[in-house]
Amino acid sequence: MTEQSALLLRKQLAELNKNPVEGFSAGLIDDDDIYKWEVVIIGPQDTLFEGGFFKAYLTFPFDYPLRPPKMKFITEIWHPNVAKNGDVCISILHEPGEDKFGYEKPEERWLPIHTVETIMISVISMLADPNSDSPANVDAAKEWREDPNGEFKRKVARCVRKSQEMAFD
């Protein structure tokens, strides 16, 4: 499977380089390792994240696309669906099959038809519309639900500022 997954990832990378998708850029962390990608998400317009440049790593398993990659933000981000250590928690990055907690339907979880593009579009959508019912960051979810224009907004604005400073250093 390793050769097939490497070939598929090279094809997806070439496609993204040839036809970039609005809202993010993607490339390899190390040109010799097709399984480790760096992505930069541009904070979506008309959201609290607008103007931010959020760097993350995508780490693909050798049996991709049968199993999902892991995604971790390197840039600090305050969001209900991003753990404090940067790990992204959204349905399409969860292992395929039944959810042992009964929260997600199998079709909402990882499917081998997903690509880097569909993952990134889902993450951008997640930034615009957090799911506070199943949070990875309980504190951010509580602030989002109780006072989205108060403490939550202030913390996100600080993350956006920091991301801009890092992007232009």
Side-chain angles (χ1 to χ4, degrees), residues 10-21 25-28:
R10 280 191 194 90
K11 183 179 175 188
Q12 288 183 25
L13 181 61
E15 179 62 28
L16 287 170
N17 286 330
K18 184 178 166 190
N19 299 306
V21 178
S25 64
L28 300 180

Side-chain angles (χ1 to χ4, degrees), residues 61-103:
F62 293 126
D63 56 355
Y64 175 82
L66 299 178
R67 290 185 44 239
K70 303 283 186 226
M71 185 172 178
K72 181 181 195 100
F73 277 99
I74 304 308
T75 306
E76 183 183 347
I77 190 163
W78 188 251
H79 191 282
N81 307 113
V82 180
K84 290 179 182 177
N85 71 355
D87 289 344
V88 175
C89 181
I90 57 171
S91 299
I92 72 160
L93 293 180
H94 294 165
E95 293 288 336
E98 292 293 323
D99 177 8
K100 63 183 176 184
F101 302 109
Y103 181 74

Side-chain angles (χ1 to χ4, degrees), residues 109-144:
R109 295 168 73 88
W110 179 257
L111 296 169
I113 58 167
H114 286 301
T115 64
V116 172
E117 181 177 343
T118 62
I119 293 165
M120 297 310 300
I121 289 169
S122 292
V123 171
I124 291 167
S125 174
M126 172 200 81
L127 289 178
D129 187 21
N131 176 1
S132 61
D133 293 333
S134 177
N137 181 334
V138 176
D139 296 330
K142 186 174 187 283
E143 290 174 4
W144 167 254

